[in-house]
Each structure stands twice: as C-alpha cells, then as structure tokens.
C-alpha cells in the first residue's frame, strides 16, 4: 500500500506568538508544487495555534496544524490544561501524544497516553503517538519489546476505524535533541515491529495504512536515508522544524519520495 508521507514539526516550547507568525509564514512561503502529496503539520505551542492557523488560512495553504498535548476531558477544573473542543475550535486537527519529554518531565503514564488517544480519536482528531526507548533499555537488548508494549498500551480499547486516524512516531529517547540519530536500519527494524504490533491489534488493513514516523535528530542531511526505509513514512521533527529552510528541505525530500 502507498502511504502518504507525513512530516510534522514539533516546535516544543519555542516561538512567541509574534515569532510563530514569522516562522509559519516563512514555511508557507517556501511551500511549492507537490507539497500536497505530503501531510505537512506544524505543532506550535498552544498559545501560538490561533496565529499559525490564521497565517496558513490566509495563504490557503495545505499545511495543517497540530497541538503538542491535550487533556482527555473536554472541559472542567483542570488548571493549565487544554481540551479537545478548544483545539478543534481553533482549527487544529492533529495532536502529538506521549512525547518522551512529557513522559519523562511531566510523569505522563501509558494510561494517560491511552486516555488522550481515545479521547482524540472519538472526537475525530488525528493523534501522533510517540514511542521510544531509553539508551539503557536499548543497551539491555529490550528496545523492541519496550516500544511495542508502549504501542499496545497507547492503542488499548481503540478500534480499527479509530486506529486509522493514528500515526505512530518512533523516537528513541537517546536520539532526541542530541544530534545523534538512530541508524536507518534501527529505524526500519523498529518501524516494522510497530507495524506488526498494530496488525495484531487492529488488523492488516489499518496496519498497512498507518503512517509510522521516525523522530530524533532528523535533518535535511539524513532525511533521505530514513524516508527510503520501507516502513518509515515520514518524520517528527524537533530542532530542524524551527528553521524554515531546513523544514522546507525536509518536506521536499518527502515530496521527492512520493
Ligand atoms: C522531537 O522532539 O520530537 C524531536 C524529534 O526532536 P529533534 O528533532 O530535535 O531530535
């Protein structure tokens, strides 16, 4: 099956609203023929969502917008949190879930990740579910078991139609923001194991159609090698998504692959 590549930029806690206008405009200005063959998603901080959506709407851009996190309850006494109806209202249809920084620094558990995924798919939004092992787990030879357990936990109780809305980003923790990416062979081998796990959970059709991304120090210089892997269908990009030229180059690499 031919899967449409997905390139998502995770801006993390960077860019003021004013800066987010400049960066999203810069990316939009660089978009070229063929970009609609790839799902391109910008995930700015929540406070920037309105500004970024406004820029992209004005340009009639095919680039879409995602959040970096969400609460599973639609509203209520959850100080500091953001609910799905708020994201939808602002024009956001994607959401990163379970990023390793949230798991490590904000103690996000597999169970919370699962609640977020289920709430998002029930609302028709598209989760980008992050999974990935630490260096210690990889050194023990337990990376595949660990990551596939994370996948099973994230998708527990999610049916095939709902799973079809999900993408999974394999992001080895030791490769995030370190400049030390995984090898394409490591990315392919894990992406293949993730796809097998998804097939066991929700069946062949959804597994074949699901986008599995690589994330971890992906940049224009190494993107080609990752995107050439049979089971790697795009990238979740941190640092390189903050530079319009670099991000546009990554999208172009994906476009050239279609
Ligand atoms: C990320 O945070 O999802 C990520 C992949 O970061 P970086 O590209 O900077 O390693």
């Amino acid at each position: 099956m031919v899967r449409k590549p997905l390139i998502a930029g995770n801006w993390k806690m960077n860019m003021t609203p004013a800066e987010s206008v400049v960066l999203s405009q810069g990316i939009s200005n660089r978009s070229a023929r063929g970009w609609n063959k790839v799902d391109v998603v910008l995930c700015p901080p929540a406070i920037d969502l309105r500004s970024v959506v406004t820029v992209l709407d004005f340009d009639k851009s095919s680039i879409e917008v995602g959040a970096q996190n969400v609460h599973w309850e639609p509203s209520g006494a959850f100080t500091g949190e953001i609910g799905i109806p708020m994201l939808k209202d602002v024009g956001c249809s994607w959401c990163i879930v379970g990023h390793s920084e949230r798991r490590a620094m904000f103690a996000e558990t597999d169970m919370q990740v699962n609640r977020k995924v289920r709430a998002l798919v029930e609302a028709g939004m598209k989760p980008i579910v992050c999974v990935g092992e630490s260096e210690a787990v990889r050194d023990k030879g337990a990376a595949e078991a660990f990551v596939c357990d994370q996948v099973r936990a994230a998708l527990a109780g999610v049916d095939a139609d709902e799973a079809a809305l999900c993408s999974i980003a394999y992001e080895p923790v030791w490769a995030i923001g370190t400049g030390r990416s995984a090898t394409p062979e490591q990315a392919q081998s894990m992406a293949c194991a993730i796809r097998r796990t998804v097939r066991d959970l929700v069946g062949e059709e959804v597994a074949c159609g699901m986008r599995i991304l690589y994330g971890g120090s992906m940049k224009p210089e190494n993107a080609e090698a990752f995107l050439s892997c049979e089971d790697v269908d795009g990238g979740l990009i941190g640092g390189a998504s903050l530079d319009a030229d670099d991000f546009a180059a990554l999208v172009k690499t994906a476009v050239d692959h279609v």
Side-chain angles (χ1 to χ4, degrees), residues 169-243:
Y170 168 55
E171 301 205 303
V173 176
W174 44 271
I176 296 180
T178 58
R180 183 184 149 215
S181 61
T183 64
E185 293 71 27
Q186 287 169 325
Q188 165 56 25
S189 152
M190 193 64 83
C192 180
I194 291 171
R195 202 176 299 287
R196 260 199 323 270
T197 305
V198 173
R199 190 190 59 208
D200 294 346
L201 288 171
V202 287
E204 182 77 29
E205 196 181 332
V206 173
C208 275
M210 184 175 284
R211 269 85 61 88
I212 299 178
L213 316 182
Y214 169 74
S217 301
M218 193 161 167
K219 40 188 186 261
E221 304 84 69
N222 61 18
E224 170 68 28
F226 289 111
L227 297 175
S228 301
C229 297
E230 195 182 332
D231 285 289
V232 176
D233 309 307
L236 180 56
I237 320 294
S241 72
L242 298 173
D243 181 286

